Amino acid sequence: MPESIIAVRGISKSVQDASGRLDILRDIDFSLNAGETAAIVGASGSGKSTLLAILAGLDTPSAGQVVLAGQSLFDLSEDERAALRAQHVGFVFQSFQLMPNLTALENVMLPLELTDLSDARKTATAMLQRVGLGERLKHLPKVLSGGEQQRVALARAFVVQPDVLLADEPTGSLDHATGEAIMDLMFALNREQGTTLVLVTHDRQLAAKCERVLSIQAGRLSESAHKPV
């Protein structure tokens, strides 16, 4: 059996509000191997994005553990979790999350510079060319279309060759045709690099492109589809 790149064990998340305790996630268990693709689906407010944040160690559970690349996330300090993310995890968000004062090239160079890579400019340029933006290197995000901004975000996520890519509604702010093109590119990059992809989406057609579909209802997880690799 291959070793899991992500193992989620008994994850629960509760918060207190004016009406009392709200259980967002309840006893979530699953694991993903290197190169697997999985979609997390569910209604708005079902806890999908909360689970994704816990997978990255950006949020802490009320109970349970996440093991990422052999490390138990919540046995680490916040700084240690940040270092582990930088080494193993890439992110793609619905709102792109680009630095507005940096060019496309500078945005993609940023995670490389944080790891002190000597040829960050060359590596970032090659990745932007790979996603079809070789002519847009010096453009700021504000002059790029939504689809172009998401391509920059994909390039930034994949340029560090992460073991795991976490994507939160990556096509949510794009029109259908642009969203389809972005997802085709994301899956192509995923295959090229052998990255484990975890995708949060409302789109069941998009989710069906993944090998596994994990559904959250009332805070509990069920596997609604499992396609053989």
Side-chain angles (χ1 to χ4, degrees):
M1 290 287 291
E3 185 177 346
S4 299
I5 187 69
I6 301 176
V8 179
R9 299 289 177 256
I11 288 292
S12 296
K13 178 71 175 182
S14 301
V15 296
Q16 291 290 139
D17 63 13
S19 60
R21 192 177 84 165
L22 174 64
D23 294 321
I24 301 172
L25 299 171
R26 306 182 186 191
D27 200 26
I28 303 290
D29 276 281
F30 67 94
S31 60
L32 295 170
N33 295 325
E36 276 197 290
T37 58
I40 301 173
V41 301
S44 294
S46 62
K48 303 185 303 297
S49 293
T50 298
L51 178 56
L52 201 71
I54 289 173
L55 292 183
L58 293 168
D59 194 359
T60 56
S62 302
Q65 185 60 265
V66 173
V67 180
L68 172 63
Q71 293 281 328
S72 296
L73 280 183
F74 304 110
D75 290 342
L76 303 176
S77 69
E78 191 171 333
D79 287 346
E80 288 169 336
R81 289 200 299 272
L84 190 69
R85 278 194 299 274
Q87 186 177 358
H88 295 286
V89 180
F91 295 91
V92 178
F93 302 95
Q94 176 178 342
S95 56
F96 318 133
Q97 298 287 345
L98 301 178
M99 299 294 288
N101 59 326
L102 300 182
T103 65
L105 179 59
E106 289 166 342
N107 265 284
V108 179
M109 287 173 62
L110 189 59
L112 297 170
E113 290 174 331
L114 293 174
T115 61
D116 295 323
L117 188 72
S118 59
D119 57 349
R121 180 173 294 272
K122 179 180 177 182
T123 303
T125 298
M127 181 55 73
L128 281 165
Q129 290 170 338
R130 170 64 186 85
V131 302
L133 292 178
E135 303 300 317
R136 309 287 269 169
L137 302 180
K138 297 180 180 179
H139 289 71
L140 293 172
K142 67 182 180 182
V143 299
L144 299 175
S145 69
E148 288 173 330
Q149 289 185 64
Q150 196 60 296
R151 285 174 183 267
V152 175
L154 282 180
R156 182 182 59 187
F158 278 104
V159 75
V160 294
Q161 299 190 337
D163 294 312
V164 179
L165 183 76
L166 303 177
D168 194 0
E169 298 284 0
T171 62
S173 58
L174 303 175
D175 64 76
H176 179 73
T178 303
E180 288 231 320
I182 289 296
M183 289 315 304
D184 287 346
L185 178 59
M186 179 179 287
F187 282 110
L189 291 168
N190 181 74
R191 288 191 298 270
E192 289 169 18
Q193 294 193 3
T195 302
T196 300
L197 174 63
V198 185
L199 170 69
V200 163
T201 183
H202 286 95
D203 186 337
R204 293 277 177 170
Q205 288 185 319
L206 173 56
K209 295 182 179 182
C210 293
E211 294 159 359
R212 297 171 64 180
V213 180
L214 307 171
S215 180
I216 298 182
Q217 293 182 321
R220 297 191 182 277
L221 191 71
S222 63
E223 189 149 356
S224 55
H226 192 170
K227 305 173 186 178
V229 179

